[in-house]
Amino acid sequence: MPAKKKAATEKAAPKKTAPTKAATEKAAPKKAAAPKKAVAKPESRTALVRRARRINRELAETYPYAHPELDFENPFQLLVATVMSAQTTDLRVNQTTPGLFAKYPTPEDLAAAVPEEVEELIRPTGFFRAKTRSIMGLAKALSEEFGGEVPGRLEDLVKLPGVGRKTAFVVLGNAFGRPGITVDTHFGRLVRRWKWTEETDPDKVEKAVGELFPKSDWTQLSHNVIFHGRRMCHARKPACGVCPIAPLCPAYGEGETDPEKAKKLLKYEKGGFPGQRLNPPQGYLDAGGIAAPPLGGATSG
């Protein structure tokens, strides 16, 4: 083709241009904008302290009889029972310790026991061999180092076999009246659910929660939270619909919110079942609590 004719043909042909961005956007169907999530305003330290203390006040009104649920008559019995309560329920321990303390009433008696006989007595609590080594070891230490008496200092208690900070604070708070926070599985689970702390290490949980409350509240706070965790705020399905602190709980709705259905999830006295102690405080009985059955009796909750 002659050069002139080719040029004329190219000039006559319509020139293709890439569609502009604006034209593309206009032609394409618009996607609905995703709804913006409301960003929760971070809770100030002051607001957290106020909410935490209000929760504790509400729990105190709900459980005015909250108490340690291990049966004991003296610091030695409480110490042994607390060590035995690992990986089992307080109810099972309470059903087991009467026979143990009847046979070995003092640290000296327990330290001199035949291990196999102790194992047989505490077998229902599980892990009975390890627990036998711990309770006989602490009994021996009490006999040899503390004159057969349970020491009333944290630094002494945690040196005993099988005794950590949690056990030590149970004994200090309930046998000696010295404030302490008991971080068991219920306590740790609930304070994280309530956003009091995100810590998982028990020592760090203890420190974080302790900073929200006056020291004088620590022991009773532990009872209130643990009572609530055992009876209402369960790990898998909390009874949200009947919970007295629902308006204060960031996790409300994780459990059953229908009041009638939630009532059926309640455990122990509020659900018609007995508590965990064979010999509970009179205040608990006066408030409608029921004593636990002895070993071999019917159990529930």
Side-chain angles (χ1 to χ4, degrees):
M1 182 184 291
K4 284 186 177 180
K5 192 172 182 181
K6 184 178 180 183
T9 304
E10 288 179 348
K11 188 175 181 182
K15 190 175 182 181
K16 292 182 180 180
T17 57
T20 64
K21 184 179 179 183
T24 303
E25 289 177 348
K26 187 175 182 181
K30 288 187 177 181
K31 291 183 179 180
K36 291 184 178 180
K37 289 185 179 180
V39 179
K41 188 177 179 182
E43 188 174 37
S44 69
R45 179 70 180 179
T46 300
L48 171 60
V49 170
R50 287 175 177 167
R51 182 171 63 85
R53 294 185 182 186
R54 188 175 167 194
I55 285 175
N56 189 39
R57 289 195 297 272
E58 293 287 347
L59 294 180
E61 290 182 11
T62 303
Y63 311 108
Y65 43 80
H67 59 275
E69 293 195 89
L70 286 168
D71 284 329
F72 68 98
E73 295 177 357
N74 54 55
F76 172 62
Q77 290 188 359
L78 179 58
L79 178 60
V80 170
T82 305
V83 171
M84 286 173 54
S85 70
Q87 303 298 315
T88 190
T89 63
D90 287 356
L91 172 57
R92 181 58 67 186
V93 174
N94 291 339
Q95 292 169 329
T96 306
T97 49
L100 178 71
F101 295 140
K103 191 165 185 178
Y104 310 110
T106 69
E108 291 80 4
D109 294 325
L110 185 55
V114 176
E116 290 75 15
E117 293 179 2
V118 176
E119 288 176 3
E120 201 55 38
L121 282 170
I122 71 170
R123 181 183 290 269
T125 67
F127 301 96
F128 56 91
R129 291 191 180 90
K131 290 179 182 180
T132 293
R133 287 193 294 272
S134 292
I135 64 176
M136 289 188 67
L138 71 83
K140 183 179 180 183
L142 291 176
S143 302
E144 296 178 354
E145 299 173 31
F146 297 99
E149 298 293 328
V150 175
R153 298 195 314 162
L154 176 65
E155 53 267 40
D156 292 329
L157 285 168
V158 294
K159 292 177 183 176
L160 299 171
V163 179
R165 289 178 69 88
K166 184 194 87 168
T167 297
F169 281 130
V170 170
V171 174
L172 290 173
N174 299 292
F176 293 98
R178 295 176 185 171
I181 291 177
T182 303
V183 184
D184 71 350
T185 54
H186 298 287
F187 191 95
R189 171 169 52 80
L190 265 61
V191 299
R192 284 188 290 274
R193 186 171 274 172
W194 297 335
K195 306 297 183 187
W196 290 3
T197 181
E198 294 182 357
E199 299 290 354
T200 55
D201 178 79
D203 292 352
K204 292 180 180 178
V205 171
E206 175 200 322
K207 183 178 186 299
V209 175
E211 291 173 350
L212 301 176
F213 295 87
K215 202 170 183 178
S216 57
D217 288 355
W218 287 357
T219 299
Q220 193 57 45
L221 166 71
S222 300
H223 297 326
N224 295 343
V225 174
I226 293 169
F227 251 60
H228 192 59
R230 285 175 170 168
R231 287 156 171 76
M232 194 175 297
C233 195
H234 313 306
R236 294 184 181 176
K237 200 168 186 182
C240 294
V242 291
C243 182
I245 62 166
L248 303 167
C249 181
Y252 175 78
E254 286 186 7
E256 180 57 66
T257 56
D258 180 86
E260 291 305 314
K261 292 180 180 177
K263 279 182 185 178
K264 296 177 182 178
L265 298 173
L266 297 174
K267 292 187 177 182
Y268 306 127
E269 75 285 347
K270 288 185 174 294
F273 301 122
Q276 300 221 44
R277 288 183 74 160
L278 277 72
N279 300 298
Q282 191 59 46
Y284 173 79
L285 297 173
D286 291 344
I290 307 169
L295 186 62
T299 62
S300 54

